[in-house]
Amino acid sequence: MCKQVVLSGIRPSGGLHIGNLLGAVNNMVALMESGKYRCYFFIADLHAGTTAPDFKRIRMNTYSLLAEMLAIGLDPGRCTLFRQSDVPELYQLYTFFCYVTSVSELQRNPVYKEQLNQLKLNGNGLSIFLNYPVLQAADICLYRANLIPVGQDQIPHIELTREIAKRFNAFSENSLFPIPEALLTETPKVPGTDGKKMSKSYGNFIAVADSEKVTKSKIASMVTDINRPRLRDKGHPDDCPVFTLHQFISPSEDVSVIRSQCEEALIGCKNDCKPALAEAINLALKEPRAKRAELMNHPDRLDAVLMKGVAEARKVAKETIEKVRKTLNLSI
Ligand code: SF4
């Protein structure tokens, strides 16, 4: 029986941080390791350019992101790992999809409206920013993907992809595209150093690329339980971002001990709890960091991964485009 195709991309907009690992990347590794799916994972460099098309910087970020994805456990022997822009068939499918998508439905997209406000573009966004869901639909349909791991907020984009796939399928007696479904993934709320959600845009993250020393100093600066101003005050671990990170990273036995010692005011934030967290993070990231550094010193190995990935991706992409062109009477 054919395996279902899973497709997921990550924007190369800076290095991976702990929040990315605990959410998207660990999920990708789990999907790959389940052996249940044919996985296509891509570095979404074209998506990264939809708000700021600085492709020189995006290219540099692509290499560090790829090194980190490999260091965390994605295996190019068990999934197809490629760079989005390396597949020329994508541009063709995107163009064809623009013929069946109206401007008004793109403008109605709630994700677009929200980002427009957040980024304060005031109507000056690039047309690709508006068209981004069409590009995403082309990503999905090009590899005839069945399942797309997304959070709840991305559902409108999957809905549009389903709509576009149906419109295209109506051109042909044989279905061109499977109708993809969202594979809803719980995105854990990982706090950053300021207690808000860990995010590159808030500058409150702990990155895979950070040194042990930088990690320690970032953790040392973290906010804690605001109702525990003095060492002798009993703490409330459930209101403390440091404790939340412990729950994600530290062994469960240690987490129980920290909870009870915090609640009884037997440990301090600065000298006990935070150093223990920094140590746990540095331990968890020790191997990935070493592997990342090794790969960054060998860009030829990263190029080899990208070349293997694009060859696999284009094999399917070419088949899809051939079928689409025939359907549209565009074949020679
Ligand atoms: S001891 Fe740890 S869990 Fe308790 S308030 Fe301090 S940093 Fe937070």
Side-chain angles (χ1 to χ4, degrees), residues 208-228:
V208 173
D210 285 341
S211 66
E212 294 196 351
K213 197 172 159 203
V214 168
T215 303
K216 276 184 200 161
S217 95
K218 284 186 177 177
I219 298 296
S221 73
M222 266 190 92
V223 295
T224 59
D225 170 13
I226 50 167
N227 293 313
R228 193 192 178 200

Side-chain angles (χ1 to χ4, degrees), residues 223-225 228 235-244 246 258-259 261-263 267-270 272-274:
V223 295
T224 59
D225 170 13
R228 193 192 178 200
H236 311 85
D238 292 325
D239 298 331
C240 176
V242 173
F243 186 72
T244 309
H246 265 299
I258 291 165
R259 176 186 283 283
Q261 291 187 331
C262 170
E263 286 171 344
I267 52 168
C269 305
K270 184 177 162 208
D272 303 305
C273 198
K274 287 179 170 181

Side-chain angles (χ1 to χ4, degrees), residues 127-162:
S127 62
I128 189 67
F129 180 63
L130 174 67
N131 276 336
Y132 162 72
V134 185
L135 183 60
Q136 196 179 39
D139 286 317
I140 294 168
C141 293
L142 192 60
Y143 307 102
R144 302 196 288 279
N146 308 95
L147 296 169
I148 318 301
V150 286
Q152 192 73 39
D153 58 328
Q154 288 289 308
I155 295 287
H157 287 179
I158 304 301
E159 282 304 324
L160 181 68
T161 302
R162 289 166 61 83

